[in-house]
Amino acid sequence: MIQFRDRGARGRHQGGQIDAHHSFSFADYNDPRHMGFRALRVLNEDRVVPGAGLPEHGHQDMEIVTIVLKGAVEHRDNLGNNATIRAGEVQRMSAGTGIRHSERNPSADEPTHLLQIWIIPAEAGGAPSYEQRSFADDGARNRWVTIASGDARRESLTLRQDAVIAIARLDDGQLIERQIDPKRGYWVQIISGIIGLNGTKMREGDGAAIARLLRMTGLRQSRTMKGAISL
């Protein structure tokens, strides 16, 4: 079974500094029909104007993954981390018992485009931690690339949950498949371009919850990153 989530049906917060789309209920957007998908609690697509961002604030008991698609994010936290995450890089922050951080677009003229994913950890508590790694396009096309997982497989970032986040970059006409484990759930999020998912055309911002064989085909103008989350 596939349940599609149209990009135009997402919640939206459009302010002077951040234009955000919410696949699930978040902040002032509250939709009881869309409160998350299994352990996937938040999936936001944000565009941040130059110099803007979020001042210091706190989280706890959440796995927060940020995928920078364009531009950069400057990160600071109370663990002493001071880092810049650039396009093609991924940040993982385990809030654990509590972490305080700030995020901003450090550029004076280039906007930032990112995806932020929140995953509920398998267990509450634990020491907060931080990690980041580059997954820039290095020729790994037309296949799944694991960027985060519960067991740190293939040198991916580590999640405190039995979950996998993978991305795929498809060329026109290329097909990739993934056999579905009936005991698990799968969420696909289109980052850019156009794909065919089991025969249904999907575009940037569209999502889908899946529980059977997954076939993704790159269509015209789709030579960019696609994203899938397996939970």
Side-chain angles (χ1 to χ4, degrees), residues 68-206:
V68 180
L69 307 174
K70 180 181 179 181
V73 172
E74 182 183 81
H75 168 92
R76 297 175 184 269
D77 63 43
N78 63 340
L79 302 180
N81 295 300
N82 183 0
T84 300
I85 308 95
R86 305 187 186 281
E89 295 184 322
V90 182
Q91 172 201 77
R92 188 273 302 156
M93 184 171 61
S94 291
T97 54
I99 190 170
R100 296 192 63 81
H101 73 115
S102 64
E103 312 281 342
R104 64 183 291 270
N105 176 357
S107 174
D109 51 21
E110 183 179 13
T112 293
H113 183 198
L114 61 88
L115 284 184
Q116 189 165 97
I117 300 161
W118 292 16
I119 294 177
I120 301 169
E123 296 181 358
S129 62
Y130 178 91
E131 189 179 14
Q132 77 179 69
R133 185 187 161 191
S134 174
F135 293 91
D137 190 354
D138 57 0
R141 304 184 69 82
N142 305 312
R143 65 181 179 88
W144 295 108
V145 176
T146 301
I147 63 173
S149 62
D151 55 8
R153 67 188 67 174
R154 303 181 184 93
E155 299 182 348
S156 61
L157 304 177
T158 306
L159 299 172
R160 296 176 179 176
Q161 177 58 269
D162 180 18
V164 174
I165 303 176
I167 60 174
R169 302 174 177 93
L170 300 185
D171 293 321
D172 291 352
Q174 292 296 312
L175 170 71
I176 57 173
E177 295 187 349
R178 184 164 186 154
Q179 192 66 43
I180 299 301
D181 182 343
K183 297 180 182 178
R184 302 180 70 87
Y186 299 78
W187 183 273
V188 171
Q189 186 71 22
I190 310 306
I191 294 174
S192 61
I194 307 170
I195 69 160
L197 177 63
N198 284 26
T200 298
K201 185 181 291 188
M202 299 179 68
R203 298 176 180 271
E204 177 178 341
D206 288 340

Side-chain angles (χ1 to χ4, degrees), residues 190-230:
I190 310 306
I191 294 174
S192 61
I194 307 170
I195 69 160
L197 177 63
N198 284 26
T200 298
K201 185 181 291 188
M202 299 179 68
R203 298 176 180 271
E204 177 178 341
D206 288 340
I210 302 171
R212 61 183 175 89
L213 180 64
L214 170 65
R215 293 187 178 92
M216 293 176 64
T217 305
L219 302 179
R220 190 181 298 272
Q221 299 178 346
S222 67
R223 297 175 183 171
T224 47
M225 187 187 299
K226 311 296 184 295
I229 301 167
S230 165

